[in-house]
């Protein structure tokens, strides 16, 4: 059989059915699979962001579960009807992934007898993984801070450029105003403003000089 729970006993088991020589009886042998907890422990130790790993039957019965570095032997089931295979489940700082894993045999009479298979004796495993969102939240907060500082830096730079441009234009306007007043008071039409540039104030001064010619 594939890996199945052994009720009323706890823990995952694998059953082997051996007929006698004249095939008048069947010997059923159960093997307790301790390696699942060790495998889960290695998975969790390989990545600190993996908070827990669990293996379940198609009906949601627990085969093995490990949280952190301690095995959880409390009987636990998941509601298969609420499992979303396509979208991870977000809750707090944790994301839960459900993955359907094929068994070495998709049909099992023992599974049917124990009522842990679905859809005409179909059997598979459900791998549930709880992953910490801490690195993602850290990256998101860091991106927010970086974006904020870039925005503030750009804003300050724009204000400085606007200030410099306004000062430059105001100076030119003062020059044009003083020269115009001088020409009016002295009545010397030979005077010129002579401002060079491509901005509007320079263009106005040049047109004023042309008008005096």
């Amino acid at each position: 059989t594939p890996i199945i729970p052994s009720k009323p006993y706890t823990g995952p088991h694998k059953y082997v059915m051996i007929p006698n020589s004249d095939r008048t009886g069947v010997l059923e042998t159960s093997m307790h699979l301790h390696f699942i907890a060790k495998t889960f422990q290695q998975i969790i130790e390989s990545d600190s962001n993996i908070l827990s790993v669990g293996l379940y039957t198609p009906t949601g019965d627990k085969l093995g579960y490990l949280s952190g570095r301690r095995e959880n032997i409390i009987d636990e089931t998941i509601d298969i009807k609420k499992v979303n295979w396509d979208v991870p489940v977000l809750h707090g700082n944790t994301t839960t992934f459900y993955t359907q894993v094929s068994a070495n045999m998709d049909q099992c009479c023992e599974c049917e007898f124990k009522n842990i298979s679905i859809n005409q004796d179909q059997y598979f495993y459900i791998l549930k993984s709880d992953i910490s969102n801490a690195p993602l939240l850290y990256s998101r907060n860091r991106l927010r801070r970086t974006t904020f500082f870039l925005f503030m830096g750009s804003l300050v730079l724009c204000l400085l450029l606007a200030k410099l441009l306004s000062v430059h234009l105001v100076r030119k306007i003062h020059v044009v105003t003083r020269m115009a007043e001088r020409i009016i008071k002295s009545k010397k039409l030979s005077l010129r403003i002579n401002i060079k540039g491509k901005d509007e104030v320079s263009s106005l001064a040049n047109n004023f000089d042309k008008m005096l010619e």
Side-chain angles (χ1 to χ4, degrees), residues 15 87 166:
Y15 289 87
V87 181
S166 63

Side-chain angles (χ1 to χ4, degrees), residues 64-83:
Y65 178 85
L66 196 68
S67 176
R69 288 178 171 79
R70 298 170 57 188
E71 184 178 4
N72 186 348
I73 59 175
I74 299 175
D75 191 21
E76 179 190 31
T77 60
I78 59 177
D79 189 353
I80 189 66
K81 296 180 180 179
K82 296 181 179 180
V83 172

Side-chain angles (χ1 to χ4, degrees), residues 148-171:
F148 173 77
F149 288 124
L150 287 176
F151 172 77
M152 294 302 298
S154 301
L155 180 61
V156 172
L157 181 60
C158 289
L159 292 176
L160 289 176
L161 291 176
K163 180 66 175 178
L164 292 175
L165 181 60
S166 63
V167 170
H168 179 68
L169 292 177
V170 168
R171 286 178 180 175

Side-chain angles (χ1 to χ4, degrees), residues 121-199:
D121 303 341
Q122 184 181 6
Y123 190 84
F124 54 84
Y125 306 121
I126 300 175
L127 181 64
K128 175 186 175 185
S129 306
D130 292 325
I131 310 299
S132 172
N133 295 333
L136 181 61
L137 295 176
Y138 173 78
S139 299
R140 184 191 65 180
N141 294 335
R142 185 176 180 181
L143 179 60
R144 285 181 175 177
R145 290 194 298 268
T146 302
T147 303
F148 173 77
F149 288 124
L150 287 176
F151 172 77
M152 294 302 298
S154 301
L155 180 61
V156 172
L157 181 60
C158 289
L159 292 176
L160 289 176
L161 291 176
K163 180 66 175 178
L164 292 175
L165 181 60
S166 63
V167 170
H168 179 68
L169 292 177
V170 168
R171 286 178 180 175
K172 284 190 173 184
I173 292 174
H174 287 169
V175 172
V176 172
T177 302
R178 286 196 299 267
M179 286 302 299
E181 291 176 351
R182 181 180 174 186
I183 293 172
I184 294 172
K185 290 179 180 179
S186 65
K187 298 182 180 181
K188 294 181 179 179
L189 300 180
S190 60
L191 296 176
R192 298 290 183 269
I193 300 178
N194 291 328
I195 293 181
K196 296 181 179 180
K198 296 182 179 181
D199 53 78

Side-chain angles (χ1 to χ4, degrees), residues 5 14 21 34 37 68 73 85 89 100 112 126 144 160 173 177 183 197 202:
K14 196 173 183 67
S21 58
H34 296 279
I73 59 175
W85 303 105
V89 180
Q100 183 173 323
E112 181 185 6
I126 300 175
R144 285 181 175 177
L160 289 176
I173 292 174
T177 302
I183 293 172
S202 300

